[in-house]
Amino acid sequence: MAIRMPRIIQARQILKRSLSNGGSTPASMDIPKGHFAVYVGEQEKKRFVVPVSILSEPRFQELLHQSEQEFGYNYPMGGITIPCSEDLFTDLTSGFGVF
């Protein structure tokens, strides 16, 4: 557990930075409490709303790390952008209540 904790903290920091860049835009108004939006795709980006609880998932943390490597903390879509296929993302997030 002690090994995973720093990655969870890092994932939360990434989320906080992303939210502080986005502000209160109309797109962020339709996100339920306890969720956040991510943009997924290699070419075309599709928006998904995911629960905050997914931040503790090691596979999701790895995607966040890949996103950090590619984009840093300056996300082109205004929210967290994850550079993977939609199919991979949906497989990874099945069971987490992603919409």
Side-chain angles (χ1 to χ4, degrees):
M1 184 78 163
I3 295 171
R4 283 184 39 194
M5 210 53 155
R7 295 205 63 164
I8 292 171
I9 293 169
Q10 182 183 22
R12 287 184 180 153
Q13 289 172 342
I14 291 170
L15 177 60
K16 284 180 185 177
R17 287 184 188 119
S18 174
L19 294 176
S20 67
N21 290 340
S24 218
T25 62
S28 69
M29 300 303 270
D30 62 346
I31 300 173
K33 186 174 183 174
H35 291 72
F36 62 99
V38 296
Y39 295 89
V40 177
E42 294 165 331
Q43 303 269 326
E44 286 285 317
K45 307 291 188 236
K46 182 175 178 183
R47 183 175 183 254
F48 290 88
V49 177
V50 297
V52 173
S53 62
I54 202 168
L55 291 173
S56 63
E57 173 64 35
R59 294 176 296 172
F60 188 77
Q61 291 174 12
E62 182 59 35
L63 288 177
L64 286 176
H65 181 69
Q66 290 174 9
S67 177
E68 177 188 1
Q69 296 300 311
E70 185 164 329
F71 301 112
Y73 294 111
N74 185 20
Y75 297 107
M77 299 292 295
I80 295 175
T81 304
I82 298 179
C84 73
S85 70
E86 289 181 36
D87 292 335
L88 173 68
F89 186 78
T90 16
D91 288 345
L92 178 126
T93 57
S94 63
F96 277 97
V98 174
F99 51 96

